[in-house]
Amino acid sequence: MLELDAPAGQQVATQSDLQHLEQRPELRFEGLDHRLQAMEHRLSATFERRISDAITSQTRTLVFSQLGALVVIAALAFGLR
């Protein structure tokens, strides 16, 4: 069989060179994964906070309107006697 030689002035890639090239994208994807998880947590926290604020606002409105209706009904009941 013929031996393969590197062209003049160039080196042949070794097994460790190839393993290093394989690990490089994995490290980049790990960093990307961490950034995406952090973004997901921020979005989730923002969404939960806005939902909580909306529910609190609606509950407050409902309670005050019910109290107002109760006061009006009581005033009518006692006012008609």
Side-chain angles (χ1 to χ4, degrees):
M1 296 193 94
L2 297 173
E3 284 189 32
L4 296 176
D5 288 333
Q10 295 181 358
Q11 296 179 351
V12 176
T14 64
Q15 188 68 26
S16 64
D17 292 335
L18 296 176
Q19 287 175 349
H20 176 69
L21 288 176
E22 286 178 6
Q23 291 174 353
R24 215 171 123 205
E26 290 176 12
L27 294 175
R28 289 179 63 197
F29 286 128
E30 283 182 18
L32 180 62
D33 186 44
H34 291 299
R35 288 187 299 190
L36 286 175
Q37 285 179 356
M39 186 185 315
E40 179 184 4
H41 290 298
R42 284 194 314 263
L43 286 173
S44 177
T46 301
F47 180 72
E48 288 176 7
R49 185 175 58 244
R50 288 187 180 184
I51 292 293
S52 177
D53 290 346
I55 290 172
T56 301
S57 174
Q58 290 175 356
T59 303
R60 186 178 302 122
T61 302
L62 179 67
V63 167
F64 286 131
S65 65
Q66 291 296 316
L67 285 174
L70 181 65
V71 168
V72 169
I73 292 171
L76 287 173
F78 291 119
L80 294 177
R81 286 189 175 185

